[in-house]
Amino acid sequence: MNTTLAFAQELDNNDPLAYMREHFAIPKQKNGADEFYFTGNSLGLQPILAKEAVMEVLDSWQERGVRGHFEGEYPWLPYHEFLTEHCSQLVGAKPEEVVMMNSLTANLHLMMTSFYQPHGKRTKILIEDHAFPSDHYAVESQLKHHHQDVEDNMMLWRPRSGEELLNHQDLYQMIEQHGDEIALLLLPGVQYYTGQVLDMKTITEKAHAKGITVGFDLAHAVGNIELELHQWQVDFACWCSYKYLNSGAGSVAGCFVNEQHVKNPELTRFAGWWGHDKSTRFKMENKFKPIPTAEGWQLSNPPVLSLAAVRGSLETIALAGGIKPLRAKSVKMTQYLRALLNHELGQRIVIITPESESESGCQLSVMINLDANNRHLDGRVMFDALEAKGVTTDWREPNVIRVAPVPLYNTFEDCFHFVRLLKECLA
Ligand SMILES: Cc1ncc(COP(=O)(O)O)c(C=O)c1O
């Protein structure tokens, strides 16, 4: 392979999305140079448009006070509606199936309130063994809320002994054998530790064939890979907006509810006035009539400053032409990074993220094995050493450095320098 800096620069010169980097604030190293930022899988960088949109809300508040709810180019009362179109395109949904509201774990709870109703023999929730802790806690507490024994009712899909990745055949076997006991399957679209992309389409088909409801946590999938939630007939999905959606720490999250459920007023739900019919919301009556879209799950009037950041960010993604061209660049860039890592560092690292295009997104999860003298190394020490050289990656216990070249703002040259600096650290 061509391992030169000139080759990386040539790839950047031929990149049709290279201009998008200008739309982001890139953090600086102490010497004033751009950081090598590879942590979009944790917190995406700030889009210039996000800052502008937040300033627009602050200005409107300053000028108009309460009238900001109704006046200006982006009045606050319907503010979340300005996000719907872009958001539905990102996840492959109809506009009535998506809403930006609350935060990720809160939305998981709201969804489980509607879609986990144990009855008869069907009482179990199936998750993966290494689920993100918040998802694990949410599921555990939902089981307890329904007075279900956690030990008996939390089914865990585990990687095989000695393996890191989840094997789909094992899941399909669990569905086949225990399908009539499983009420809900809650899985990630992209596993946060390994970066493995799950086959959401087939999982949903197999689960539905056994009468199981299917929800996905798309925290690491949205803005990273292409999604077709409506076509795959997923029941619900939730995601945050601070990773590949670049909307700022703790910003407002997203939620998908399948078309076939949104019009069902009988579904159990925790309700609030923002989910109530818009035409009578301000009549201040006490008969809840849910909006017949995903908006019907909203609780409170939303934090508009945060929604503004989401608006600026989604508009930035739209400037790039949406998820398709971003994914095309991402595949190319991540493959380049993988090839360079393997070529330059060989046995000294192990990339646990699957290699095939259908099973991986931006992120590579790298285990550091050996130093230049083949001595075993503590990955955490390497992570710190990289940071001291202006490379921002992300450490996940027990033993992984996550590196995510993000097609919106990373360059092939960033990838080149990452490998060069990691090699220096290992030496
Ligand atoms: C896969 C996954 N699920 C859940 C969460 C929790 O998100 P929040 O704190 O926004 O509820 C995260 C946070 O990074 C995550 O990566």
Side-chain angles (χ1 to χ4, degrees):
M1 96 171 268
N2 192 333
T3 60
T4 63
L5 173 60
F7 180 65
Q9 288 168 336
E10 189 187 319
L11 291 172
D12 283 326
N13 288 337
N14 293 327
D15 169 17
L17 289 178
Y19 69 97
M20 286 306 299
R21 186 173 167 92
E22 307 260 295
H23 290 270
F24 287 84
I26 312 288
K28 300 283 179 220
Q29 300 181 47
K30 284 202 186 83
N31 64 9
D34 287 352
E35 250 178 47
F36 302 110
Y37 193 86
F38 286 98
T39 327
N41 60 307
S42 175
L43 186 82
L45 289 181
Q46 185 186 100
I48 308 299
L49 288 181
K51 186 170 182 178
E52 284 177 15
V54 170
M55 291 311 292
E56 194 272 340
V57 172
L58 284 172
D59 288 345
S60 182
W61 178 22
Q62 183 179 320
E63 287 162 26
R64 303 185 176 98
V66 72
R67 281 182 287 106
H69 280 297
F70 317 104
E71 295 176 5
E73 196 181 350
Y74 296 101
W76 311 330
L77 188 67
Y79 204 97
H80 64 279
E81 295 171 21
F82 304 132
L83 317 179
T84 306
E85 193 63 40
H86 286 321
C87 187
S88 63
Q89 283 165 12
L90 267 181
V91 298
K94 293 189 172 181
E96 56 269 32
E97 292 176 314
V98 296
V99 62
M100 298 296 294
M101 61 178 188
N102 313 313
S103 56
L104 170 52
T105 309
N107 287 341
L108 285 172
H109 274 298
L110 289 181
M111 289 296 104
M112 281 193 273
T113 299
S114 292
F115 296 105
Y116 174 59
Q117 294 296 329
H119 58 274
K121 216 177 146 192
R122 208 182 271 283
T123 55
K124 296 185 178 12
I125 304 182
L126 193 157
I127 62 173
E128 45 131 357
D129 188 33
H130 200 25
F132 195 86
S134 204
D135 298 37
H136 192 104
Y137 304 148
V139 166
E140 194 172 324
S141 56
Q142 284 284 336
L143 289 168
K144 287 181 182 163
H145 175 67
H146 286 280
H147 308 290
Q148 300 294 324
D149 183 87
V150 174
E151 190 96 331
D152 291 344
N153 288 288
M154 191 192 271
M155 282 182 79
L156 298 175
W157 175 24
R158 295 191 168 89
R160 293 180 183 177
S161 166
E163 295 182 10
E164 297 287 343
L165 301 176
L166 292 160
N167 186 315
H168 284 75
Q169 295 312 321
D170 298 344
L171 173 70
Y172 302 152
Q173 205 171 0
M174 286 166 96
I175 292 175
E176 197 50 44
Q177 277 176 2
H178 304 281
D180 55 351
E181 297 162 40
I182 306 171
L184 173 68
L185 212 140
L186 182 67
L187 291 171
V190 176
Q191 213 283 343
Y192 78 95
Y193 184 75
T194 61
Q196 179 182 13
V197 175
L198 299 189
D199 181 352
M200 290 171 264
K201 179 173 186 277
T202 310
I203 290 173
T204 307
E205 268 167 27
K206 299 232 181 232
H208 280 175
K210 289 282 180 184
I212 303 166
T213 302
V214 180
F216 285 105
D217 174 340
L218 300 178
H220 292 264
V222 70
N224 177 9
I225 57 171
E226 288 180 57
L227 297 164
E228 292 293 348
L229 298 183
H230 177 80
Q231 201 191 311
W232 299 338
Q233 286 299 306
V234 170
D235 292 290
F236 70 86
C238 305
W239 57 91
C240 57
S241 67
Y242 42 79
K243 300 180 188 292
Y244 299 105
L245 296 192
N246 314 303
S247 303
S251 197
V252 180
C255 196
F256 165 91
V257 185
N258 192 288
E259 183 182 41
Q260 60 174 308
H261 302 304
V262 295
K263 293 190 178 64
N264 180 2
E266 302 306 320
L267 272 177
T268 304
R269 76 177 90 192
F270 287 160
W273 74 317
W274 229 250
H276 179 84
D277 173 37
K278 291 176 198 173
S279 65
T280 56
R281 184 187 287 150
F282 288 95
K283 289 206 185 328
M284 309 315 252
E285 293 165 350
N286 285 334
K287 183 125 186 54
F288 181 68
K289 184 177 168 205
I291 301 169
T293 72
E295 292 180 351
W297 274 264
Q298 293 173 112
L299 298 178
S300 306
N301 80 98
V304 175
L305 284 167
S306 214
L307 281 182
V310 181
R311 180 173 74 76
S313 172
L314 293 179
E315 286 175 6
T316 306
I317 292 174
L319 280 180
I323 188 69
K324 268 190 196 310
L326 285 170
R327 173 67 175 150
K329 173 174 172 185
S330 169
V331 168
K332 207 171 162 190
M333 197 158 56
T334 300
Q335 278 173 359
Y336 167 73
L337 176 60
R338 180 191 283 270
L340 198 59
L341 277 166
N342 283 334
H343 187 275
E344 294 294 290
L345 300 172
Q347 304 291 331
R348 288 194 256 156
I349 55 151
V350 175
I351 301 172
I352 61 173
T353 310
E355 193 159 357
S356 84
E357 195 179 315
S358 62
E359 284 184 290
S360 56
C362 292
Q363 175 187 325
L364 292 182
S365 299
V366 182
M367 284 179 173
I368 307 293
N369 255 0
L370 307 167
D371 71 6
N373 300 313
N374 287 342
R375 283 178 308 216
H376 280 279
L377 273 178
D378 178 353
R380 173 91 216 188
V381 174
M382 276 306 109
F383 165 77
D384 291 338
L386 277 169
E387 193 157 48
K389 288 180 182 286
V391 182
T392 308
T393 57
D394 169 81
W395 173 254
R396 268 287 171 263
E397 293 292 344
N399 194 19
V400 146
I401 295 178
R402 299 186 300 180
V403 197
V406 171
L408 277 167
Y409 46 77
N410 279 117
T411 61
F412 289 87
E413 190 172 337
D414 282 344
C415 298
F416 172 87
H417 289 299
F418 170 74
V419 178
R420 177 180 66 79
L421 292 168
L422 179 56
K423 201 171 171 184
E424 264 181 41
C425 292
L426 285 166

